[in-house]
Amino acid sequence: MKSIKTLSIALASLFLLGGCELNELDNYEGPNATINGGIYDKETGELIQQDIINGMQIEYIEHGFENPQTQYVVVKNDGTYRNNLMFAGDYTIRPVRGNFVPVEPEEIVVKGNTVKNFEVQPYIRVRNARIERQENKIVATFNLDQTVTNNVSRIGLFAHQEPNVGAPLNTVSSVVNLNEVTNDVTEYRLEINLEAHSGSLKPGNKYYFRVGALVDAPEAKYNYAPPVLIEL
Amino acid sequence: MKNRSLKYLFIALLVGTFSSCNDSLDVEPKNKVPAEAVLSDPNGIRSYLANMYYELPVEDFVYFPRAGFNARGNTGSLSLSQYGLEAIHSEWPNWNEFNNQWWTRGYQLNRDINLLEESVAKVNFSEAERSAIEGEIAFLRAYTYYGFVKRYGGVPIITENQNYSTDWESLRVPRNTEKETWDFVLAQLDIAFDKLPETRNSLDETKRRATKWAAAGLKSRVALHAASVAKYWNRAPLSGQAVDAGLVGMPATEANRYYQEAIKASETVINSGRFGLYMANPSSPQEAARNYQKLFMQPNDAMTEVLFMKGYGHAGGPLAHDYDGWNNPNQTGEGFPHVGRTNPVLELVDRYENYEKPGEASPIVTTADGQVQLGDFNPSADYIRFSSPEEIFQGKDARFFASIIHPGAVWKGTEIVIQGGVIRPDGSALTTKGSVEHKGTTYHAYGAATSNQYSGFDGTPNMTRTGFLLKKFLDEGASINTWLQSTTDFIDIRYAEILLNYAEAVAESGQGNADLASQGLNAVRRRAGHTVSIPLTLENVLRERAVELAFENKEYWDLIRRRTYHQIFNNYVKTALVPMLDLRGEEPAYIYIRKRVPGAQPNTFPERDYYSGIPGVNNNGVIQNPQH
């Protein structure tokens, strides 16, 4: 009798024990670190302008896991980025598919508020960009200083209400296919005729204008000058 | 005493619990046929085989990228033709979900095929029948893996049935490279071609079940696709682990080998002498339009052109479809709840030639200066004035009139009214619901007083927002007032496609017989009422392909395989042609506005979506596609 009682208690506790894990709450800690920084031109030290839509990304892989997934952050238009929901730990990190010469992955330690800047070589520096209204036109002039020997495939002037304006986000654009190697002396000029686009660029409203150039390289993105706000 | 009985009860309970392996509950269900019974009997295998055809990834009337294959019921009719430059959806003009899945269903089908093969080996068939079924298995497998490779790139090739095991690692099969997967599909089609019969018991069966010619036709399509991926990979190269391992992408040096395969397979079909274009020599464009319409409305009368088709039947049952219901104009909607969904866009309309200018696209000209610019109505612009809504389309390719319902077209005996507004005598435009009184007559903004008398532009989902409606495949004799009433069959592989595949492979690679390719290209044009031959150039072939195969769910894959999707859909808005009744002159006249589709936002194709993401990589352990 006693042995049966013991046995049944033992069995019952065995079942209960087995069931315990199901009752436990998720008690893992949440993200406890942040990371931020920017994509800088290694020569001039300036932030490199980017696109948000279909733009470059920073990929990172956390160490210590089997078959880990690659995670990524999107870089803002001005070339900075921030992720406030990181787990402290060791990471392999690399900015990819950008408007700069591809770089090697780096090993970093993320802890507390980590600052990580990337110094890269942009494919093209858009210099001396001037965007202004001349009567019924928006006229942009600029020089291109390319740091690689590839062709420059396209140059463009883009317009949109948002400061995120660029090739993937614009209401009106003026794009020219160049397909040539450029020199930093030639002045390029692009125009948007405001009369022809009065439906999209309405007088009295403010719009952002931005010029950019795209190099002919795999997965390359446009290099830009900063956007300019103009009231029409 | 009480204690003792409790004790026995307890022991009995424990014994009962631990010895529950009693087979009294293992009852064979009476309403299901066990797998062994089906797969051990020749007739069982034949009916099992029939279901494989149903499951094949044929992109037909019941394929919708989001809902998948054989999707019936309220799918929204978000069809493949609305993704590219053929059409836009009337209710969801901004639909752009590119990452659509077929992985799980695809591998279920693959397993069914493997199971079939395993069973066939154990069953008594005559040698001839066994060989034919082996050919059929190779065809089904090729079709399945073509469905995989064009969506995912290289995938795990699994040709033997995997048995359930808790040794998970043995079930995890790594991906083959994209090149290996394409080569596997082509090799399966060679086996199929060797083993399959040329014809079957009846014409119906010959066209609906795999034959040598279905295999050769599919090979022509597959090899052209593979060749294009190899040739144009560099237009949108990707990077990452999957690329480094060759799981997606192929070197350009492979292109010519695949073009050669496409050329050989197409020549096999062309030189067989068994196929031709339906009604190849019409006497007039009007006759050509009727013939071309009938080819898709009654494909069973046009069997000479069919290499492989998918049948439907039993109106009201699960084997019928709703293509007519979804796509009839509002005026002939006849009570179906959702009509007018596929709206052909102006880009496609522009590509149809005019008989006066053979060999070039013929954009719709709306202003006297002959320019084809986009924009809203401009009171100071010099619009060309037409006395009837259909006059502006005069002289267009017969296939335009057979594929698309335009403003003023007569459909099911009704004149289809498509009008976007009225220009008042003072030059201001009325584009919202309302009317204008002028010289004692009332002119309504959308062409008629009540919404059942017109078919466009009032902004509701049953109305076209582009100025055009779909005609191809629709049954003009049918009356559709509820679900599942359409039984029109779908031609999956037809002779005209083979001629155009051949022309493209020859024009792209310089291999093959240029005269034969040019003859094929011009035969397709002659059937459409053209009398002037045009030279074999890539531009001519691609334009001809766009208009001949419009709405047959080919254009989407043309954009994918030729890597032009991201070039076209880069912050891009599709365009519409809006007819307006202009009251400014002596007599009212129709003018037309070329503009962006109302309500459509700019659309950008992400380059990563040249391949879909693979679901469940944490479990199946395969390498994910770039950026997914």
Side-chain angles (χ1 to χ4, degrees):
Chain A
M1 181 62 206
K2 199 176 179 187
S3 65
I4 284 181
K5 202 171 172 183
T6 321
L7 187 69
S8 50
I9 288 173
L11 273 173
S13 28
L14 203 72
F15 286 130
L16 276 175
L17 263 180
C20 276
E21 285 172 33
L22 300 173
N23 302 331
E24 265 178 40
L25 292 172
D26 176 3
N27 56 358
Y28 286 101
E29 277 183 22
N32 52 4
T34 71
I35 188 170
N36 70 86
I39 311 290
Y40 290 92
D41 184 334
K42 68 180 176 189
E43 204 170 288
T44 66
E46 288 168 7
L47 278 168
I48 300 176
Q49 293 266 318
Q50 303 293 344
D51 274 318
I52 290 182
I53 302 173
N54 293 327
M56 67 159 294
Q57 294 175 342
I58 297 172
E59 287 186 350
Y60 57 95
I61 298 171
E62 188 173 359
H63 296 183
F65 292 89
E66 211 181 302
N67 196 14
Q69 277 210 325
T70 304
Q71 308 175 66
Y72 65 87
V73 281
V74 169
V75 177
K76 286 193 271 190
N77 250 53
D78 62 2
T80 63
Y81 75 96
R82 170 174 283 280
N83 184 356
N84 285 347
L85 295 172
M86 289 285 280
F87 288 97
D90 296 340
Y91 289 85
T92 301
I93 193 164
R94 168 155 79 154
V96 292
R97 298 184 293 277
N99 48 13
F100 46 83
V101 177
V103 293
E104 290 301 310
E106 292 176 59
E107 310 289 318
I108 60 163
V109 179
V110 174
K111 199 180 162 195
N113 297 326
T114 307
V115 176
K116 174 65 194 161
N117 293 322
F118 297 93
E119 297 198 339
V120 299
Q121 176 189 344
Y123 286 125
I124 303 168
R125 297 188 184 97
V126 183
R127 295 212 198 266
N128 310 323
R130 286 181 52 178
I131 305 176
E132 53 192 21
R133 183 174 181 156
Q134 295 180 3
E135 287 163 16
N136 259 324
K137 285 178 190 160
I138 296 293
V139 177
T141 56
F142 52 94
N143 299 99
L144 297 180
D145 168 16
Q146 64 178 93
T147 69
V148 289
T149 53
N150 302 32
N151 280 348
V152 173
S153 54
R154 282 192 276 284
I155 53 174
L157 168 63
F158 308 98
H160 197 269
Q161 295 114 298
E162 300 290 329
N164 305 331
V165 56
L169 181 78
N170 63 71
T171 42
V172 175
S173 70
S174 161
V175 176
V176 171
N177 290 320
L178 275 189
N179 292 317
E180 63 189 30
V181 176
T182 60
N183 57 63
D184 53 7
V185 184
T186 311
E187 185 184 78
Y188 292 95
R189 182 187 168 93
L190 292 169
E191 296 179 359
I192 289 176
N193 186 330
L194 295 174
E195 224 166 46
H197 295 103
S198 56
S200 324
L201 300 176
K202 296 189 175 70
N205 291 5
K206 288 179 181 172
Y207 294 92
Y208 287 92
F209 293 85
R210 197 181 185 200
V211 286
L214 179 65
V215 79
D216 184 9
E219 300 187 295
K221 306 289 185 289
Y222 268 88
N223 289 91
Y224 295 100
V228 174
L229 182 64
I230 297 178
E231 184 173 347
L232 301 184
Chain B
M1 185 60 203
K2 198 184 170 196
N3 261 352
R4 173 155 297 200
S5 64
L6 206 69
K7 181 167 139 192
Y8 285 129
L9 189 71
F10 205 82
I11 292 173
L13 205 73
L14 280 178
V15 169
T17 313
F18 286 100
S19 62
S20 54
C21 300
N22 179 320
D23 55 10
S24 65
L25 291 173
D26 291 353
V27 182
E28 287 290 330
K30 301 282 187 229
N31 61 343
K32 293 196 170 77
V33 183
E36 309 84 62
V38 174
L39 294 172
S40 60
D41 170 68
N43 283 323
I45 286 188
R46 283 180 203 114
S47 55
Y48 184 84
L49 195 54
N51 181 54
M52 303 282 98
Y53 282 91
Y54 178 81
E55 293 288 337
L56 274 193
V58 179
E59 289 162 12
D60 54 6
F61 303 126
V62 284
Y63 172 64
F64 302 98
R66 180 189 178 81
F69 295 93
N70 296 308
R72 294 175 168 85
N74 201 344
T75 57
S77 188
L78 290 152
S79 73
L80 208 54
S81 66
Q82 296 151 9
Y83 274 73
L85 281 184
E86 291 183 338
I88 197 166
H89 194 278
S90 63
E91 187 172 10
W92 291 297
N94 295 312
W95 195 261
N96 61 356
E97 189 178 71
F98 295 110
N99 187 19
N100 297 296
Q101 288 302 337
W102 186 60
W103 185 269
T104 308
R105 291 299 297 271
Y107 273 103
Q108 281 167 357
L109 172 59
N110 184 58
R111 181 179 170 82
D112 289 348
I113 294 170
N114 291 340
L115 207 60
L116 175 69
E117 187 175 53
E118 198 177 271
S119 311
V120 167
K122 295 181 200 149
V123 174
N124 253 343
F125 282 112
S126 69
E127 267 320 297
E129 194 171 4
R130 179 181 305 281
S131 171
I133 291 185
E134 284 167 4
E136 212 159 9
I137 288 170
F139 177 82
L140 295 168
R141 208 169 248 160
Y143 210 115
T144 304
Y145 277 89
Y146 176 50
F148 277 128
V149 68
K150 68 180 178 179
R151 289 179 173 80
Y152 298 103
V155 296
I157 297 175
I158 302 173
T159 56
E160 289 198 357
N161 196 24
Q162 290 178 305
N163 282 315
Y164 177 75
S165 152
T166 47
D167 173 16
W168 310 122
E169 284 309 316
S170 73
L171 297 175
R172 287 181 174 149
V173 184
R175 293 171 71 181
N176 288 77
T177 65
E178 173 155 8
K179 179 171 167 294
E180 284 165 356
T181 312
W182 286 109
D183 289 345
F184 173 75
V185 176
L186 294 176
Q188 289 296 312
L189 288 169
D190 287 340
I191 297 173
F193 185 80
D194 277 348
K195 294 192 169 181
L196 282 168
E198 299 209 16
T199 58
R200 294 189 180 269
N201 296 325
S202 67
L203 189 60
D204 274 357
E205 195 185 334
T206 301
K207 300 297 185 184
R208 287 172 173 78
R209 210 173 152 184
T211 58
K212 270 192 193 323
W213 311 114
L218 183 58
K219 193 176 172 191
S220 154
R221 181 187 292 174
V222 170
L224 182 67
H225 196 135
S228 316
V229 172
K231 182 164 182 176
Y232 293 113
W233 163 264
N234 278 328
R235 277 186 180 168
L238 300 164
S239 64
Q241 204 186 353
V243 178
D244 297 340
L247 307 181
V248 297
M250 288 189 289
T253 47
E254 292 293 328
N256 271 349
R257 180 170 67 87
Y258 288 123
Y259 280 124
Q260 186 61 42
E261 292 276 2
I263 286 168
K264 271 193 329 211
S266 311
E267 280 177 355
T268 308
V269 176
I270 295 168
N271 295 334
S272 74
R274 286 174 176 270
F275 301 94
L277 295 171
Y278 171 65
M279 300 290 186
N281 291 297
S283 60
S284 67
Q286 289 72 22
E287 194 196 316
R290 281 194 299 276
N291 296 340
Y292 187 81
Q293 182 189 3
K294 204 174 156 206
L295 170 60
F296 304 101
M297 205 163 87
Q298 292 159 343
N300 289 291
D301 292 346
M303 287 298 205
T304 176
E305 189 159 342
V306 177
L307 278 77
F308 186 58
M309 73 196 298
K310 186 166 167 186
Y312 300 85
H314 302 294
L319 292 179
H321 60 83
D322 290 310
Y323 208 74
D324 289 277
W326 285 113
N327 292 309
N328 251 276
N330 180 58
Q331 284 164 271
T332 58
E334 297 162 347
F336 193 84
H338 319 285
V339 296
R341 287 310 194 260
T342 305
N343 302 164
V345 292
L346 184 54
E347 286 88 340
L348 175 65
V349 172
D350 280 348
R351 290 193 93 175
Y352 288 94
E353 293 173 30
N354 192 300
Y355 288 107
E356 284 171 12
K357 291 184 200 158
E360 52 183 285
S362 180
I364 302 287
V365 175
T366 59
T367 49
D369 60 8
Q371 299 294 311
V372 284
Q373 279 176 345
L374 298 180
D376 284 318
F377 169 69
N378 174 357
S380 59
D382 190 5
Y383 291 103
I384 307 175
R385 298 167 65 83
F386 297 92
S387 58
S388 72
E390 67 272 20
E391 197 182 333
I392 192 169
F393 307 109
Q394 255 177 24
K396 273 246 173 214
D397 190 307
R399 288 168 292 187
F400 166 72
F401 296 98
S403 307
I404 293 173
I405 293 173
H406 56 76
V410 174
W411 170 253
K412 292 186 175 179
T414 302
E415 186 187 335
I416 303 303
V417 177
I418 299 173
Q419 186 177 306
V422 174
I423 309 299
R424 298 186 187 91
D426 65 4
S428 64
L430 170 72
T431 56
T432 52
K433 201 166 174 59
S435 61
V436 175
E437 296 286 332
H438 180 56
K439 293 185 183 170
T441 310
T442 308
Y443 297 96
H444 298 277
Y446 304 124
T450 58
S451 62
N452 59 355
Q453 294 172 319
Y454 59 83
S455 301
F457 288 116
D458 76 0
T460 59
N462 289 351
M463 305 290 175
T464 173
R465 55 175 73 225
T466 64
F468 302 100
L469 286 152
L470 187 68
K471 180 168 178 182
K472 199 170 183 177
F473 297 111
L474 297 196
D475 187 346
E476 193 158 7
S479 175
I480 308 286
N481 46 33
T482 183
W483 296 89
L484 296 175
Q485 299 302 305
S486 302
T487 54
T488 312
D489 292 343
F490 181 82
I491 310 179
D492 181 36
I493 308 176
R494 64 186 179 98
Y495 190 56
E497 185 200 338
I498 305 301
L499 294 177
L500 293 170
N501 289 349
Y502 186 64
E504 184 178 334
V506 171
E508 281 279 16
S509 70
Q511 305 175 84
N513 181 339
D515 288 338
L516 187 63
S518 163
Q519 279 166 30
L521 173 70
N522 283 298
V524 173
R525 294 169 50 77
R526 190 155 52 252
R527 191 260 297 275
H530 288 275
T531 50
V532 181
S533 288
I534 59 170
L536 179 80
T537 62
L538 186 58
E539 195 195 341
N540 282 344
V541 174
L542 294 178
R543 186 186 55 253
E544 195 58 29
R545 187 177 175 91
V547 298
E548 173 69 25
L549 303 179
F551 309 113
E552 294 177 43
N553 291 340
K554 305 293 186 289
E555 186 236 5
Y556 174 85
W557 295 109
D558 292 345
L559 294 172
I560 295 281
R561 69 183 169 88
R562 301 185 60 82
R563 296 293 195 262
T564 46
Y565 219 138
H566 72 289
Q567 295 179 338
I568 297 168
F569 285 90
N570 177 19
N571 196 51
Y572 186 78
V573 187
K574 300 184 200 186
T575 57
L577 185 70
V578 186
M580 309 276 266
L581 190 66
D582 188 353
L583 302 177
R584 287 177 295 180
E586 279 292 300
E587 291 289 318
Y590 291 92
I591 62 168
Y592 294 81
I593 318 294
R594 295 176 62 102
K595 61 185 281 188
R596 291 174 169 183
V597 175
Q601 300 295 322
N603 196 351
T604 295
F605 179 83
E607 289 174 38
R608 65 168 197 180
D609 285 334
Y610 280 117
Y611 296 96
S612 290
I614 295 175
V617 289
N618 288 340
N619 288 324
N620 61 29
V622 303
I623 296 172
Q624 181 59 284
N625 277 333
Q627 301 172 55
H628 280 288

